[in-house]
Amino acid sequence: MLEYIRQWLTQRRGNRIGEHDTDNLPTPKSASDQLLSRARVIVLDLETTGLNPAKDEVIAIGAVAIEGGAIHLKDQFDLILRRPELDIRETVLIHGIGPEALTQGHETEDALLHLLEWMNGDPILAYHSAFDQKFLEKTLKKQLGYTLPHLWMDVAELMPAFFPKAPLKGKGLDDWADFFGLEVSERHHAAADALVTAELTLIAMNKARKQNVKTVKDLTEKLHYQRRLQSMHRY
Amino acid sequence: MAAANEDATRPQNTRAIMSFLREHAPFSSMDDTHLAHFAEHATLRFYADGDEVLSPNDGVVKRFFVVKQGRIRGERHNEKEDRAETTFEISQGECFPLAALIGERPTRTIHRAAGDTFCLSIEQKAFITLFSESEPYRDFCLRGVSSLLDQVNQRIQSRAMASIGSSNSLDTPLERYALRNPIVCTPDLPVRKAIARMHENNVGSIVITDDQRHPTGIFTLRDLRTLVAQDKSSLETPIRLVMTTNPCRLPSSAHAFEAAMLMAEHHFAHLCVVDDEGRLIGMVSERDLFSLQRVDLVNLARTIGTATHLRTLVSLRSDVSRLVDAMLAHGADSGQVVKIITTLNDVTVRRVLELNLQKHDPGIPFTWLTFGSEGRQEQTLLTDQDNGILFETPEGMTEDQVREKLLPFARKVNDELAECGFTLCKGNIMASNPKLCLSHQEWDDWFVRFIDASTPQNLVYSSIFLDMRAVFGSMEPLHHLQESVLQRIQKNALFQKMLAGNALQRKPPLTMFRNFRYLNDEKKHSLDLKRQGLAPFVESIRVLALAHGIEAANTLERIDALARKDVFDAKDANAWKEAYSLIQAIRMRAHQEMLDKGEELTNYIDPDDLNPLDRRILRESFRQAQRLQQKLEVTYQL
């Protein structure tokens, strides 16, 4: 990981920020017939200054990639953004990122460009993905003017789709983690949360394979069906 | 950069995996940079309950796994019962598959998830990097394999236990047991005299026989109790009136099991064993059947050491064999067992010498030397004589005159030892050979020629004459001889190099592909555990021991001494001791089995007869022999 960043920084040395042509950034991939057992998907978690996408900001990005059915620790993303101007008093207690860490963070544009390149347009999974999606899309648009939509999937939908009978206490990430006995190394650390989300994704993908859900497209359809089923129950 | 700072710059998940690893051996003793290398190169995979993680069909193993959460079980197919059986379980923080990864081969066991399981794994490249850079990691990977040795030892024990335990031993015909010499009397003997005879012989029963030695009755201490309690008959009564008539008897071909059943049924503690004509040939007691393993080493040694006749010594040899069974069953390791065999052999040799000295003392002080495996105290049941005499020439006598007196004596001793089961040496390396019955000066000259003018041919004898020990007589003369021999060898680099070259002649029986290399076409599928398995250890260790002035002849002691002198790394020394002991243990177990089947003892085994774990460990032991030979190659630039 460090090696990767180092290489990347070396490559970018001399390229001033802003010279990056957004057209050269990877194009998001759509739900394809690519096999889940081969595909690369991103599992991402953001830490923000608050819950309101309209006024709060992203301060940390953690993500791991699942490829070929495994999490490769070489292939991960763990950055705190340099946003000293942000007011983080409200959330500092939750995620533990203090003003000092923020000033030492990476330049936002740099980090976001790096993220886009690293994600390579692959589908993104997150727990309660709507939240992360709104924040990330807002930030990408604001900072880079990047508006291409990635394919997002919600792990909070994925889990009940494959484990409908799991007796959970609640619907949170912690509930699923507890159910499978997963340990979160540091809760509310973007990268640690991303890893535990990715572990849940591995469990779901294992089950998917056995239920003949084989491609990325199969998976999105399964989630779509799940959503319809849920809304039917609601009425 | 300080370690803490460095750690802080690592991604959270890398740090998390590092701290997980730190909780488990061998990672707990690895450097942070190596742990980071592991964590950064790791992949995390999930396996649902029952999923295959690794299978023999996957080909050569390319990954090193650590269980992060859950469990893995090893599954082998039991062909006999046509079902899968679990051979091992691997839980959180444990690693697999070490032997296959190091052996660069497919795993032989299906590894399956037991419950939902996450495994971290690294690819071969990262594994090799860590293996070569991190000492604790390397040690674990090598030791982890050798820790399996314990399992094998347990298995050897349980096997031996079965051979003397309830089921197997009771399949043995009674004639294989050392039958008690029965105390007998005629039917008309007064009870008082019969009891006196029992008392004299310290037995609990007496058999009453007719003229043809047919048992007609038995009288036991229990009968005596009844007799006294009832107070009906006087002690002058002829025994036939108070004995239990028609005692239980079994032919010697009957199995111990039948005897045990009969005893259990009738509450007898003793049974008469008779020949085909119904004549009494011995007694067998309940204790004999159920407590075979209670052969007592001290008692046995004392019995051998005080035997007054050669034939007693001959008959005690079967007790030695039984003791070996019992020792293996009770968890003695092969090193202990061979030493005990050697001890008992020594006692026998001494007793044979003493008995002969009593009869015709040649009148010359001498030291009885043993060479080769007996010299190394590494004898098993299959042993031949390698001995010699070191004498002091009395004043006024020539060495040849001394030999004239000593050689006939030595001849007799060699022959009698042969009767006791020490096969005559085919190469005539025996004290009765005039070339091996020498004075101190002659031996010294002999070794000068051996060391300073060595030829490839006489190097063959190095395995015999460079492992010597005194068994009888004064130890001092041999000690002096050894000192000058060691000094001479230490000074002679060429001789050392020749010895080393000679030690490399015998390669462990592994092919390039880490399969067993069989002896030759004639002996297809058989390995010679002594020549191919043990010899590479014994010979390599000998060269290094002699080169470092170590006087001990025993291979394990030599390894210890070499480790103390820092010639060997302590962990290497242990791995070699374990590997050597394991081959020895498998060899001894094979001997016991051959003995059970009444076959002639050989050192050949067919690895296909071994169970898979033994095979795997045997292969690993041979691999250790290769490592040792490599060390020799490097040391002597061969």
Side-chain angles (χ1 to χ4, degrees), chain B residues 576-614:
Chain B
W576 288 328
K577 278 168 70 180
E578 274 179 341
Y580 173 79
S581 301
L582 183 97
I583 300 172
Q584 186 72 278
I586 290 180
R587 175 182 174 221
M588 290 195 327
R589 191 182 61 199
H591 282 175
Q592 293 298 122
E593 279 167 10
M594 290 167 196
L595 210 65
D596 277 352
K597 289 185 206 154
E599 291 169 4
E600 200 185 329
L601 298 187
T602 70
N603 289 311
Y604 300 116
I605 60 143
D606 180 348
D608 291 343
D609 291 344
L610 297 173
N611 68 49
L613 181 63
D614 286 354

Side-chain angles (χ1 to χ4, degrees), chain A residues 1-2 64 68-74 76 78 180-182 185-186 189 191-192 195 199 202-203 206 209-210, chain B residues 9-17 39-49 51 68-69 92 116 118 120:
Chain A
M1 173 68 196
L2 283 174
V64 297
I71 299 168
H72 300 264
L73 282 130
K74 240 184 188 167
Q76 58 169 318
D78 183 358
F180 286 105
L182 306 179
S185 65
E186 200 172 323
H189 184 296
L195 182 63
E199 287 174 356
L202 282 185
I203 295 174
N206 182 289
R209 199 177 65 231
K210 289 165 188 168
Chain B
T9 62
R10 288 192 178 110
Q12 166 65 21
N13 291 326
T14 306
R15 275 184 282 152
I17 285 172
E40 283 161 14
H41 289 82
T43 57
L44 184 63
R45 283 181 168 80
F46 171 76
Y47 306 93
D49 184 30
D51 281 359
K68 182 162 181 280
Q69 184 185 337
Q92 195 179 42
D116 289 351
F118 280 94
L120 287 165

